[in-house]
Amino acid sequence: MARIGQLLRRLSGMAVSLLGLSVLIFVISRVLPGNPARMALGAMASEEQVAELAAEMGLDQPLPVQYVEYMRRLFVGDLGRSLQTKNAVAYDLLTKFPATLELITLAFTFMVVFGIPLGIVAAKHHGGVLDNATRLFAFSTVSVPSFFIGIVFQLVFGYFLNWFPITGRLSSAHSGEVVRTTGFMLVDTLLSGSIAAHVDAWTHILLPALALSFSGMGQVIRITRSSMIDIEGQDYIEAMRGYGLPTWLVTDKYTLKNAFVPTLTILGLQYAWLLSGAFIIEIVYSWPGLAKYGVQSVLTSDVNAVVGVTMLVGVVFVVVNFVIDLLTSYIDPRIGLAGESA
């Protein structure tokens, strides 16, 4: 029953967070500089045309009335129409988000595959050459902005070595071979049966995904290393070694499991923060995803699109944090949901 109560409190907290986010987004979208109706129609439009479009968008109504209408549409998934694409914002998000999700998921995979093992290696060789080299790499990746790493990758691997393409998701030579079914290019190329297009999709996504993963990878290395060193110094770990248990068993079953809780927490936060990092990387690599769409929406004062993008990013943050709470409480039952003691 205690677990159910914690779960209900966490779900209610999610609802309150999303409600507060909706209020904040609404207020910010209404104080953005510029008249959305004017920017949509252009400088040559008459005042009557601007007023007509503003009325169509509901911008001529009092703010409380606008908010009620905004929430009513939000609950039914109606985010309005984008001024820049003329499509429904929900449709734009549905078509743009898979590209971003694919990019950040691969970047997250790189963080896990490289970050955790490097953190373990650094902890096992605490104070040695490998530890110092790994720490230097971790501090470097955290300190250098992802967009700078992305540009360096473009210059070195794209321009000088000519190993990888530096823009887009797929070469034009293969675009006709792929049927866009899921929106995930790595999946759609396989479903279309084109191995050449699948390989081409990998060459396009590797550089931006690696550039996006570096900062989070450094954080994962540092947290994993420090957690492993802290746990290995505990009395019960020393006792297990004294009982003659194999080193691999002590490390894999007891040390790593208990040290993984802080790592899991930082992984969840980093996955959510990858969305914000993707905004820059998508511009650098001309990646046709949600982040690029969001930047263009802000620049054109596309109110409905800005609200839709921000709301979607907020939902991702809240959901990822909830999943991390569930996984953390499962790994260590002493920790309740949202960090409460069970």
Side-chain angles (χ1 to χ4, degrees):
M1 292 299 293
R3 286 285 179 181
I4 296 177
Q6 291 175 354
L7 180 61
L8 292 176
R9 285 197 298 272
R10 192 67 178 94
L11 290 174
S12 62
M14 288 175 59
V16 172
S17 298
L18 291 176
L19 179 62
L21 178 64
S22 70
V23 175
L24 182 62
I25 294 173
F26 174 80
V27 173
I28 293 176
S29 66
R30 293 317 188 262
V31 299
L32 283 175
N35 186 337
R38 168 62 68 184
M39 297 191 70
L41 294 175
M44 302 302 294
S46 65
E47 292 298 329
E48 291 76 10
Q49 291 174 318
V50 173
E52 182 179 351
L53 180 57
E56 182 181 334
M57 297 173 62
L59 299 177
D60 60 336
Q61 300 293 324
L63 283 181
V65 176
Q66 290 186 42
Y67 180 73
V68 171
E69 179 63 16
Y70 156 79
M71 289 300 297
R72 184 191 67 79
R73 291 186 174 184
L74 196 61
F75 274 116
V76 298
D78 181 5
L79 298 171
R81 189 164 295 277
S82 170
L83 299 178
Q84 56 174 322
T85 66
K86 311 304 180 185
N87 299 324
V89 172
Y91 172 80
D92 284 340
L93 297 181
L94 190 63
T95 55
K96 301 290 185 182
F97 189 53
T100 298
L101 185 60
E102 184 176 47
L103 178 63
I104 67 174
T105 300
L106 184 59
F108 180 78
T109 303
F110 287 146
M111 286 167 48
V112 174
V113 170
F114 295 112
I116 294 177
L118 285 174
I120 295 173
V121 168
K124 286 184 175 180
H125 299 84
H126 183 210
V129 175
L130 281 176
D131 181 28
N132 292 331
T134 305
R135 290 170 63 193
L136 178 62
F137 172 74
F139 281 116
S140 300
T141 57
V142 171
S143 304
V144 180
S146 59
F147 74 88
F148 180 78
I149 296 176
I151 293 173
V152 171
F153 281 177
Q154 283 182 325
L155 291 174
V156 175
F157 299 107
Y159 181 73
F160 292 111
L161 298 177
N162 198 27
W163 289 354
F164 297 96
I166 58 176
T167 58
R169 301 180 71 193
L170 195 69
S171 299
S172 57
H174 298 289
S175 59
E177 305 172 12
V178 181
V179 178
R180 308 299 174 91
T181 305
T182 65
F184 301 100
M185 193 61 68
L186 297 177
V187 176
D188 288 343
T189 50
L190 285 179
L191 293 177
S192 301
S194 176
I195 300 302
H198 182 69
V199 173
D200 185 67
W202 271 107
T203 62
H204 278 80
I205 198 174
L206 278 176
L207 289 186
L210 274 174
L212 185 58
S213 70
F214 266 36
S215 178
M217 191 187 302
Q219 294 282 13
V220 172
I221 292 172
R222 295 171 60 191
I223 294 297
T224 302
R225 173 188 175 277
S226 61
S227 299
M228 288 282 293
I229 293 174
D230 181 62
I231 296 297
E232 285 180 348
Q234 298 295 318
D235 292 338
Y236 71 92
I237 298 294
E238 296 294 337
M240 290 176 187
R241 290 199 178 97
Y243 289 142
L245 292 178
T247 301
W248 66 267
L249 180 62
V250 174
T251 299
D252 295 344
K253 185 173 182 180
Y254 298 102
T255 307
L256 183 57
K257 179 182 178 181
N258 292 332
F260 191 63
V261 172
T263 303
L264 181 61
T265 302
I266 198 68
L267 281 173
L269 294 174
Q270 287 298 325
Y271 187 83
W273 279 108
L274 283 174
L275 273 174
S276 60
F279 273 66
I280 303 298
I281 291 296
E282 288 191 7
I283 296 298
V284 172
Y285 284 88
S286 295
W287 193 263
L290 178 71
K292 184 178 180 182
Y293 174 75
V295 171
Q296 292 172 341
S297 301
V298 172
L299 294 178
T300 57
S301 293
D302 191 346
V303 175
N304 292 333
V306 170
V307 169
V309 171
T310 312
M311 200 66 201
L312 180 57
V313 172
V315 169
V316 171
F317 266 83
V318 172
V319 171
V320 168
N321 285 329
F322 178 68
V323 172
I324 292 302
D325 282 344
L326 290 178
L327 292 176
T328 302
S329 62
Y330 174 77
I331 293 174
D332 190 348
R334 296 171 301 173
I335 302 177
L337 292 173
E340 300 171 357
S341 298

